[in-house]
């Protein structure tokens, strides 16, 4: 190694080691929780398969308001916040509830769409909700508005530094050797084996970790989200990409929103006007629809619609419909999005590898589950270097013998 590169690598190794030791446990927690959620939908579907399927017992299915009314007549479940309806005649309806005054959210329920009969509370929902909070904001107070969100975002930035510095530190003399890059030397023992596993497996998962961190930052920092919007859509495209009012909307109708809001203060919001308008917009051609009441003041209900053959969360149409008048305030159809807008809409699917189907989710899950391996081998390598420095003059050695 040249005299110029030696001090640079020594400093880089010091940064790599210190940052790794400080954030090792946090990365392990985020990695393991991410791996746990990789197949959340499939696990919950398996655990609740009987609850989620029904047999047609009437000529027609109940409307969302009829379902809510029958459910509330059966017991005090809390204020309904969202209803999921499906075009599949054998699929149960899913109802979610708003947070209580104490900040807790009651468990959701499945109901029979033909008679409103309560089918039960889905198993695994509370577990995955806790895992998700741990993954996103470490169960710290404030949830998404607290400090936990900033901590995980900062840890993601530090992980990018670790990935780049690790790649530089392990750059082999024979850089074009595929074997040197991708094949761990399992014949080694002790520090050599730890270094080989740390470096080679780190090279395997480096592209996946980069995708995870770059998309994960979207959920941590508003400045990052704004920058991504500017980069992928540009300001003029961003303005054009805002949900557009449907044809026929007039200025008078826009002014009528204030009157509708005032009326809604005295009248609880309902779903049926929204449901009728949505069916008209989609011409009854939908696979699944999620109707969500506004969290605060206002009468605009958000409706997300997925096609029957859709397997991705991001491939959906979205509408805002007035719950009092049934007027469509805005519509945002996936088919009308540009490439950059589709990328932004699919950040979550990219983050968990779902954009590549179940093989992608499996690869991302395994990569996330390997995070503790780097924690353990990294700590062992650090302790080994400490012992070595007490016995010999300090020197910069390659992470993998022979490189």
């Amino acid at each position: 190694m040249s005299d110029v590169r030696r001090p640079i690598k020594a400093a880089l190794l010091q940064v790599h080691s210190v940052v790794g030791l400080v954030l090792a446990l946090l990365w392990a927690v985020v990695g393991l929780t991410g791996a746990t959620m990789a197949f959340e939908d499939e696990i919950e579907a398996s655990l609740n398969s009987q609850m989620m399927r029904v047999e047609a017992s009437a000529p027609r299915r109940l409307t969302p308001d009829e379902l809510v009314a029958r459910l509330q007549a059966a017991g005090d479940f809390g204020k309904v916040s969202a209803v999921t309806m499906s075009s599949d005649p054998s699929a149960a309806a899913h109802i979610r509830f708003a947070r209580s005054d104490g900040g807790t959210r009651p468990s959701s329920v499945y109901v029979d769409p033909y008679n409103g009969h309560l089918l039960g509370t889905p198993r695994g929902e509370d577990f995955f909700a806790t895992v998700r909070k741990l993954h996103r904001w470490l169960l710290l107070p404030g949830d998404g508005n607290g400090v936990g969100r900033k901590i995980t975002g900062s840890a993601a930035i530090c992980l990018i530094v670790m990935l780049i510095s690790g790649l530089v530190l392990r750059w082999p003399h024979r850089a074009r050797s595929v074997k040197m890059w991708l094949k761990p030397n399992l014949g080694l023992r002790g520090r050599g084996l730890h270094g080989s596993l740390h470096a080679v497996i780190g090279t395997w998962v480096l592209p996946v970790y980069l995708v995870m961190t770059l998309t994960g930052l979207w959920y941590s920092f508003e400045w990052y989200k704004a920058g991504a919007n500017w980069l992928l859509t540009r300001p003029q495209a961003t303005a054009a990409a805002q949900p557009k009012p449907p044809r026929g909307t007039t200025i008078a109708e826009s002014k009528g929103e204030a009157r509708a809001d005032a009326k809604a203060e005295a009248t609880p919001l309902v779903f049926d006007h929204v449901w009728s308008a949505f069916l008209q917009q989609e011409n009854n051609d939908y696979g699944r629809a999620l109707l969500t009441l506004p969290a605060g003041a206002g009468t605009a209900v958000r409706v997300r619609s997925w096609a029957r053959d859709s397997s991705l969360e991001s491939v959906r149409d979205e509408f805002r419909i007035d719950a009092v008048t049934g007027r469509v305030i805005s519509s945002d159809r996936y088919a009308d999005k540009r490439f950059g807008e589709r990328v932004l809409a699919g950040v979550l699917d990219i983050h968990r590898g779902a954009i590549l189907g179940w093989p992608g989710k499996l690869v991302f899950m395994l990569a996330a589950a390997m995070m503790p391996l780097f924690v353990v081998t990294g700590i062992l390598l650090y302790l080994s270097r400490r012992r070595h420095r007490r016995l010999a003059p300090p020197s910069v050695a390659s992470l993998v013998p022979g490189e």
Side-chain angles (χ1 to χ4, degrees), residues 112-186:
D112 191 316
Y114 295 96
N115 54 31
H117 177 70
L118 177 64
L119 300 176
T121 298
R123 292 186 292 271
E125 181 181 69
D126 292 339
F127 168 77
F128 281 112
T130 302
V131 171
R132 189 176 300 106
K133 291 179 180 180
L134 181 59
H135 180 78
R136 292 181 175 178
W137 38 79
L138 308 176
L139 296 178
L140 293 176
D143 291 346
N145 297 320
V147 68
R149 179 184 176 195
K150 306 302 181 184
I151 293 176
T152 54
S154 300
I157 294 175
C158 292
L159 182 57
I160 295 175
V161 174
M162 293 292 287
L163 295 172
I164 297 174
S165 61
L167 182 64
V168 174
L169 286 169
R170 80 145 306 194
W171 195 274
H173 298 302
R174 301 190 301 274
R176 296 183 179 180
S177 172
V178 176
K179 178 180 178 180
M180 187 65 69
W181 278 107
L182 301 178
K183 183 179 179 181
N185 191 344
L186 302 180

Side-chain angles (χ1 to χ4, degrees), residues 220-269:
S220 295
F221 299 111
E222 291 301 324
W223 58 263
Y224 186 88
K225 182 181 293 187
N229 273 287
W230 179 87
L231 181 64
L232 293 175
T233 63
R234 296 291 190 254
Q236 64 273 19
T238 301
Q242 296 300 318
K244 303 175 179 61
R247 294 179 181 178
T249 300
T250 64
I251 297 177
E253 288 175 328
S254 298
K255 292 181 178 179
E257 289 184 26
R259 293 191 296 271
D261 289 345
K263 181 179 179 180
E265 291 180 359
T267 306
L269 298 183

Side-chain angles (χ1 to χ4, degrees), residues 24 194 198 371-381:
H194 301 154
H198 192 89
M371 186 59 76
L373 170 68
F374 302 108
V375 173
V376 173
T377 55
I379 292 175
L380 291 175
L381 287 170

